[in-house]
Amino acid sequence: MRSGADSDDESLCPKPHNEGLPAALVNCDTLFATQREQLCVNPISTSDQGVDFKNVRVETPALETVSAAYRRLHESWDAARDKQARRAVFDEWDALRRRLASWEALTRLRFDQETKNAERKAAREYLDELSPKLTALETQMQRAILASPHRSDLEDELGSHLFALWEADVAAFAPAIEAGLTEEARLEAQYTELIAGAELQIDGKRVNLAGIEPYAQSTDRDMRHHAQRIRHEFFASHGADLDRIYDELVHVRHAMARKLGFADFTGLGYKRMHRVDFDQSDVERYRDQVARYIVPIATEIMQRRAKALGITDLAYWDEPLTSPSGNPTPKGDHDWIVARGREALGQVHPEVGNFYAMMIERGLVDLKNREGKAGGGYCTGFPDYGVPFIFANFNGTHGDVHVLVHEMGHAFQDWKSRKLPAYDYLTPTYESAEIHSMSIEYLCAPFLEHFFGPDAARYRRQQLEEAMTFLPYGVAVDHFQHLVYARPDASAAERHHMWKQMEARYMPWRRYGNLEYWDKGALWQSKEHIYHVPFYYIDYTLALCCALQFWVRSRKDYNSAVADYVALCARGGEAPFKDLVRSANLASPFDDGALAAVAGEAQTALAV
Ligand code: ZN
């Protein structure tokens, strides 16, 4: 997470809707072969060497061929006479899903790499159009197996979590909402293009939104204000469009929810997030805990920051600067950071270091910021090839180290669990997935000298402060969306008022000064997740509570904490959140006292 107050450049990771992976068609002439025996499992997926990104190739599927493959799968399932035969059908289907997921991941990635490339945009539009139809085929197969008297044949071998996930999928989809899904994807792409298209002038340079960040962290207060003013103007000038896109998204989501039998979108949103072992009331209690235990600490941090900066009127543009001498920055550029990453991550665990080296050697990263590239950062993956990919936008701030280490945590989990037998287990549900990424940030803390030199201690302090200021922001983003979807017909002004209420409750220190548009309650429009993945954001805060527990443990017994971390990564998503957390010897964030305990440790370390 980043500068807690705002987190505008928070990575959207893992990429929503990306489950995965891959398809390499080694020895297969056609991607979606019409002959069943040609639907082979990509042998590369079991490789321990990885594969070069340039060799990741996925053919574009045609609906007819995928439909035909599904017809055969249904027939085979019905014809299967024993456990072994049913497992064979499952494996064949699983390989198809990995292949389709790889195509989806690659198509989205290529668009994000060059949003202005017409060919890539057209490919992305084709994907958006085809996706709901593929989901329909997938859900139909899930329904068939869920209703089958023989489902226990699979359950015995693969566990019951798979079926809980499928039940969520089935509840979240019906052919009647296909058009709604396509419309939703179209609106999401509009938001991406609008944000990626930002061309801002600052200090004689033309930059995109990510390129503004270094100026927003300047030690010169006027420059910080100037930088936020420029960002503010961009959002204010597109405010009407951002309101419209969101309004249409809310309505299309609400309509889909109603068609599926939900009272409003919130229930559907939770199913989409595959929340099988906690619900809205758990989340509500958790938010209350943040308000009770964390908001006072965050407020104290902000007050102390103002004092250190020698100002009495701490404003929004001051929040990103964590110390009067400036935020610690990495002591080198992109190539230097990438090289130091090998040393730092190797010290966390040799296996992590070797994996990192493979990612770099294989070209499985795209970290440089450039014009036309989509914003944010994320980890995606090509399950057919068994390799992940990291997308980011370096900008010269400490955020570069943050995003690299964070996404490497996702990528390492992706790699460690790539051989799990079910596609659904490759990527955990998001609140679990963020544990892998956020925990490695804290496990890497003792080795940050590699990136920050003598400023590493200051960075560690900042990291902890940001955890405390991020938690209130994170739950505000979550709470806001619950309010929005409960009242889908609210006006744009009413939505802005809802956000103001959230800021008052969770960020009472927040002052926007002359940033009038944001002062009216519009800052949420810069948060990509609100547009792209409803209800995702709370997952960062739940995972952070777990990551902070790893931090506490690592200070007492580093090796045992890392061993549990590596073991957790290897489990991928084979179990629901609370099970995974328990198996890593952590307390569930929903347990009374879990959040208060880490807050207490952080408070002591920060001596607030
Ligand atoms: Zn992440």
Side-chain angles (χ1 to χ4, degrees):
M1 306 294 69
R2 11 193 55 62
S3 51
D6 168 341
S7 299
D8 282 347
D9 51 347
E10 174 50 44
S11 309
L12 188 55
C13 56
K15 192 65 171 171
H17 310 310
N18 153 43
E19 278 124 339
L21 323 266
L25 296 176
V26 175
N27 300 332
C28 286
D29 291 329
T30 49
L31 181 48
F32 298 103
T34 50
Q35 297 303 311
R36 180 170 145 191
E37 55 275 22
Q38 288 179 260
L39 281 170
C40 58
V41 177
N42 174 14
I44 290 179
S45 64
T46 56
S47 163
D48 290 326
Q49 312 302 318
V51 59
D52 288 349
F53 180 59
K54 63 179 185 305
N55 292 329
V56 173
R57 294 192 197 102
V58 193
E59 276 182 48
T60 302
L63 182 59
E64 306 76 61
T65 45
V66 182
S67 300
Y70 265 102
R71 272 197 301 279
R72 284 192 303 276
L73 284 166
H74 280 280
E75 286 163 14
S76 304
W77 177 263
D78 293 341
R81 288 290 159 260
D82 57 28
K83 196 170 182 170
Q84 201 181 4
R86 289 183 192 103
R87 178 59 192 267
V89 177
F90 173 84
D91 288 345
E92 189 176 315
W93 175 38
D94 208 62
L96 174 65
R97 294 176 79 196
R98 289 174 194 237
R99 210 165 301 152
L100 289 167
S102 295
W103 164 68
E104 176 174 342
L106 189 64
T107 304
R108 289 186 190 282
L109 172 64
R110 284 171 54 78
F111 170 71
D112 288 349
Q113 287 181 311
E114 285 185 39
T115 61
K116 292 177 180 171
N117 179 311
E119 197 181 314
R120 294 180 178 204
K121 189 177 170 191
R124 157 83 201 244
E125 283 167 358
Y126 174 70
L127 164 69
D128 289 344
E129 208 178 298
L130 193 61
S131 240
K133 296 181 172 64
L134 298 179
T135 302
L137 290 167
E138 188 175 72
T139 312
Q140 220 176 1
M141 191 74 203
Q142 287 169 331
R143 277 184 210 279
I145 297 179
L146 282 170
S148 163
H150 305 294
R151 77 178 237 183
S152 58
D153 284 357
L154 294 181
E155 214 158 354
D156 291 346
E157 291 185 11
L158 301 168
S160 60
H161 183 48
L162 188 62
F163 296 89
L165 293 171
W166 289 359
E167 274 158 10
D169 283 334
V170 163
F173 180 81
I177 67 163
E178 272 183 40
L181 290 170
T182 303
E183 177 63 6
E184 183 182 19
R186 191 184 65 80
L187 290 162
E188 287 170 10
Q190 276 184 22
Y191 178 82
T192 302
E193 280 182 66
L194 195 154
I195 298 298
E199 291 179 358
L200 313 171
Q201 295 287 340
I202 188 163
D203 201 22
K205 295 186 191 116
R206 192 170 70 168
V207 297
N208 58 16
L209 284 164
I212 282 279
E213 190 59 26
Y215 301 97
Q217 295 181 22
S218 169
T219 50
D220 175 357
R221 195 178 195 203
D222 289 340
M223 178 54 88
R224 290 199 301 277
H225 176 251
H226 181 56
Q228 293 295 1
R229 188 81 211 165
I230 290 170
R231 283 183 62 229
H232 171 266
E233 294 308 312
F234 172 79
F235 282 98
S237 65
H238 291 91
D241 224 15
L242 289 163
D243 276 330
R244 175 197 56 81
I245 293 170
Y246 194 54
D247 188 62
E248 289 181 26
L249 275 170
V250 168
H251 279 101
V252 77
R253 285 171 180 157
H254 182 74
M256 286 191 282
R258 298 291 295 161
K259 278 185 187 164
L260 292 169
F262 294 94
D264 58 34
F265 178 73
T266 305
L268 172 56
Y270 272 54
K271 292 288 180 196
R272 282 186 178 186
M273 298 302 290
H274 290 114
R275 287 178 183 159
V276 300
D277 64 347
F278 64 92
D279 61 21
Q280 286 183 52
S281 61
D282 293 316
V283 170
E284 195 177 329
R285 279 188 296 106
Y286 177 75
R287 289 195 306 253
D288 288 344
Q289 302 246 321
V290 171
R292 182 170 170 192
Y293 296 110
I294 309 293
V295 170
I297 299 176
T299 305
E300 185 75 27
I301 287 169
M302 287 300 175
Q303 286 167 350
R304 209 180 36 194
R305 204 171 280 182
K307 203 172 165 190
L309 295 176
I311 50 182
T312 52
D313 56 341
L314 187 87
Y316 178 68
W317 50 87
D318 299 315
E319 292 182 20
L321 181 63
T322 58
S323 110
S325 49
N327 292 352
T329 52
K331 303 299 173 207
D333 62 6
H334 168 277
D335 294 354
W336 184 90
I337 292 172
V338 167
R340 303 314 294 262
R342 174 71 179 87
E343 299 163 49
L345 289 166
Q347 280 188 272
V348 171
H349 192 282
E351 220 182 307
V352 178
N354 292 337
F355 163 74
Y356 179 90
M358 185 279 287
M359 290 289 286
I360 303 302
E361 281 161 23
R362 299 288 198 179
L364 295 165
V365 299
D366 177 359
L367 309 170
K368 285 181 180 165
N369 180 20
R370 60 177 179 271
E371 203 183 321
K373 186 173 167 181
Y378 59 83
C379 172
T380 187
F382 314 109
D384 219 20
Y385 290 87
V387 290
F389 187 99
I390 293 177
F391 176 96
N393 283 280
F394 277 13
N395 59 17
T397 69
H398 61 83
D400 297 352
V401 173
H402 167 269
V403 75
L404 180 67
V405 173
H406 179 100
E407 302 305 336
M408 269 306 158
H410 285 306
F412 182 64
Q413 174 268 305
D414 187 289
W415 175 252
K416 281 291 285 179
S417 60
R418 69 194 184 283
K419 295 178 189 172
L420 287 175
Y423 167 72
D424 304 80
Y425 289 166
L426 299 182
T427 306
T429 44
Y430 292 149
E431 76 295 287
S432 304
E434 295 302 337
I435 301 176
H436 310 121
S437 53
M438 300 179 98
S439 300
I440 199 169
E441 295 174 38
Y442 293 95
L443 294 173
C444 198
F447 317 116
L448 289 169
E449 273 74 4
H450 288 295
F451 299 108
F452 295 102
D455 291 337
R458 273 203 305 133
Y459 183 79
R460 281 188 279 271
R461 180 179 188 85
Q462 177 179 314
Q463 201 178 23
L464 209 49
E465 285 187 358
E466 287 189 350
M468 295 298 109
T469 53
F470 175 75
L471 286 167
Y473 173 77
V475 298
V477 169
D478 178 70
H479 195 163
F480 170 68
Q481 294 176 85
H482 283 80
L483 298 179
V484 166
Y485 290 108
R487 288 189 52 214
D489 292 324
S491 67
E494 285 171 322
R495 286 194 191 117
H496 290 213
H497 180 64
M498 290 171 188
W499 178 252
K500 282 296 278 185
Q501 289 179 300
M502 297 300 96
E503 289 186 331
R505 174 170 162 80
Y506 298 108
M507 292 168 279
W509 61 83
R510 177 61 56 82
R511 301 287 178 271
Y512 287 104
N514 67 349
L515 305 177
E516 304 88 1
Y517 183 61
W518 286 342
D519 193 43
K520 286 183 198 154
L523 191 76
W524 58 272
Q525 295 182 333
S526 61
K527 182 44 63 196
E528 185 180 3
H529 303 61
I530 291 176
Y531 286 80
H532 282 172
V533 207
F535 301 114
Y536 184 168
Y537 224 62
I538 195 73
D539 292 351
Y540 288 113
T541 74
L542 296 171
L544 182 52
C545 180
C546 298
L548 287 168
Q549 293 181 58
F550 268 127
W551 167 70
V552 172
R553 287 183 52 197
S554 72
R555 282 154 48 101
K556 293 173 182 147
D557 183 348
Y558 189 85
N559 291 339
S560 130
V562 170
D564 278 347
Y565 171 78
V566 172
L568 181 68
C569 288
R571 293 197 70 192
E574 67 178 11
F577 177 57
K578 290 194 273 189
D579 280 13
L580 290 172
V581 166
R582 202 178 309 120
S583 76
N585 298 309
L586 306 174
S588 162
F590 301 118
D591 287 353
D592 285 343
L595 195 59
V598 293
E601 290 273 345
Q603 201 164 13
T604 304
L606 291 169
V608 171

